[in-house]
């Protein structure tokens, strides 16, 4: 039986930007949580649920109708506050779906979550398609809810009845020391910021993709045509990334992209 360690960790990160530093299917989740330490869960049986906690929070009412919403691809997506999501998670009343790329998912993720990347990157073997349409599903990403909003919108459009995007995003989950799993949960990451300009309509998404790995980020275009992509990354500055706006695609190293404003005229 494949078994994995779920680690509860904190996070510190510097923020780098232009010019430098900006200073699978299944029932309710199995496994056992060891308080705030490491926990072990059967890898094949999580089905999007977190490990069983030692203490289950008392039942309380949540007015999900009061949640703020954001429109993605013409679909209104409710943004669930992290306090409510963690309450559901501890009570195993929501399935967690990671909307990022597979390399990010393998590196570190919410313990028990499944990979369900945002469109157009959703995998053919997406485990969410086997879940009932009346399941409560929470999608998450790190930007903080652009990729997760796109994935949630697609699920809502497909007929899923109770889908939310985690409002504060994965970084807040990590910073609070909530349960994580993955191969690199102890790695210190730097947050890089890529600024750009596009002539496309406001609200359209700009995607950031690592050229040699499945790593994704997204950001909306503002009313003035500007956008700001954030990447949480522990790799080298010479790693190649592609910025895909609706009106252009450019490629460059992480160092080049963070030290120059990106536009259709960008040259690495």
């Amino acid at each position: 039986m494949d078994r994995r360690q779920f680690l509860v960790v904190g996070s510190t990160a510097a923020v780098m930007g232009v010019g430098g530093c900006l200073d699978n299917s299944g029932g309710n989740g199995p496994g056992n949580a060891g308080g705030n330490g490491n926990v072990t869960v059967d890898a094949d049986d999580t089905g999007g649920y977190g490990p069983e906690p030692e203490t289950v929070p008392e039942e309380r009412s949540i007015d999900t109708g009061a949640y703020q919403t954001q429109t993605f691809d013409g679909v209104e997506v409710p943004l669930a506050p992290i306090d409510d999501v963690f309450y559901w998670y501890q009570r195993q009343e929501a399935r967690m779906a990671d909307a990022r790329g597979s390399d990010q998912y393998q590196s570190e993720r919410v313990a028990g979550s499944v990979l369900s990347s945002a469109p157009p990157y959703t995998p053919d073997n997406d485990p969410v398609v086997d879940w009932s349409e009346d399941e409560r599903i929470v999608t998450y990403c790190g930007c903080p809810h652009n990729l997760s909003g796109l994935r949630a919108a697609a699920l809502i459009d497909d007929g899923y009845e109770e889908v939310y995007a985690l409002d504060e995003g994965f970084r807040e989950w990590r910073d609070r020391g909530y349960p994580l799993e993955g191969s690199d949960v102890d790695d210190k990451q730097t947050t890089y910021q890529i600024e750009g300009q596009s002539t496309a309509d406001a609200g359209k998404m700009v995607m950031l993709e690592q050229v040699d790995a499945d790593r994704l980020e997204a950001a909306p275009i503002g009313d003035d045509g500007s956008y700001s992509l954030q990447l949480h990354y522990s790799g080298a500055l010479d790693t190649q990334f592609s910025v895909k706006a609706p009106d252009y695609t450019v490629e460059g190293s992480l160092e080049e992209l963070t030290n120059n404003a990106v536009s259709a005229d960008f040259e690495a």
Side-chain angles (χ1 to χ4, degrees), residues 24-26 43-48 95 105 112 114-115 127 130-131:
N24 301 343
S25 63
D44 298 332
D45 299 332
T46 57
R95 295 188 184 222
Y105 174 80
V114 301
L115 177 65
D130 294 325
W131 296 353

Side-chain angles (χ1 to χ4, degrees), residues 180-249:
L180 299 175
E181 64 172 335
S183 59
D184 302 315
V185 293
D186 290 325
D187 283 5
K188 182 178 179 181
Q189 295 186 335
T190 299
T191 300
Y192 296 94
Q193 192 156 306
I194 298 171
E195 306 283 355
Q197 198 76 23
S198 170
T199 60
D201 293 341
K204 295 290 187 180
M205 286 290 176
V206 178
M207 308 298 291
L208 178 70
E209 302 176 23
Q210 186 173 338
V211 172
D212 61 351
D214 188 15
R215 189 178 303 277
L216 306 171
E217 298 292 349
I221 299 170
D223 292 337
D224 61 353
S226 67
Y227 60 84
S228 181
L229 290 155
Q230 282 198 350
L231 172 69
H232 310 285
Y233 188 56
S234 59
L237 282 170
D238 61 358
T239 304
Q240 294 292 304
F241 285 85
S242 175
V243 176
K244 295 185 176 182
D247 52 331
Y248 63 83
T249 297

Side-chain angles (χ1 to χ4, degrees), residues 77-132:
V77 174
L79 305 177
I82 193 169
D83 290 337
D84 291 353
V85 172
F86 191 56
Y87 164 79
W88 290 332
Y89 180 84
Q90 288 181 296
R91 291 177 58 85
Q92 298 179 320
E93 294 178 350
R95 295 188 184 222
M96 304 294 292
D98 191 325
R100 303 172 300 161
S102 61
D103 284 274
Q104 290 156 298
Y105 174 80
Q106 293 297 335
S107 178
E108 59 173 358
R109 58 193 174 273
V110 172
S113 64
V114 301
L115 177 65
S116 184
S117 300
Y121 310 97
T122 309
D124 292 336
N125 60 344
D126 183 1
V128 176
V129 300
D130 294 325
W131 296 353
S132 172

Side-chain angles (χ1 to χ4, degrees), residues 135-198:
E135 295 273 6
R136 179 184 288 133
I137 300 172
V138 178
T139 62
Y140 71 88
C141 66
C143 45
H145 50 242
N146 295 319
L147 291 170
S148 59
L150 290 170
R151 186 67 190 110
L155 290 170
I156 293 170
D157 199 44
D158 286 342
Y160 288 84
E161 300 168 5
E162 192 175 1
V163 183
Y164 308 90
L166 175 60
D167 191 8
E168 297 90 340
F170 177 69
R171 306 313 300 179
E172 180 66 18
W173 183 282
R174 193 184 201 283
D175 289 346
R176 290 190 181 200
Y178 291 167
L180 299 175
E181 64 172 335
S183 59
D184 302 315
V185 293
D186 290 325
D187 283 5
K188 182 178 179 181
Q189 295 186 335
T190 299
T191 300
Y192 296 94
Q193 192 156 306
I194 298 171
E195 306 283 355
Q197 198 76 23
S198 170

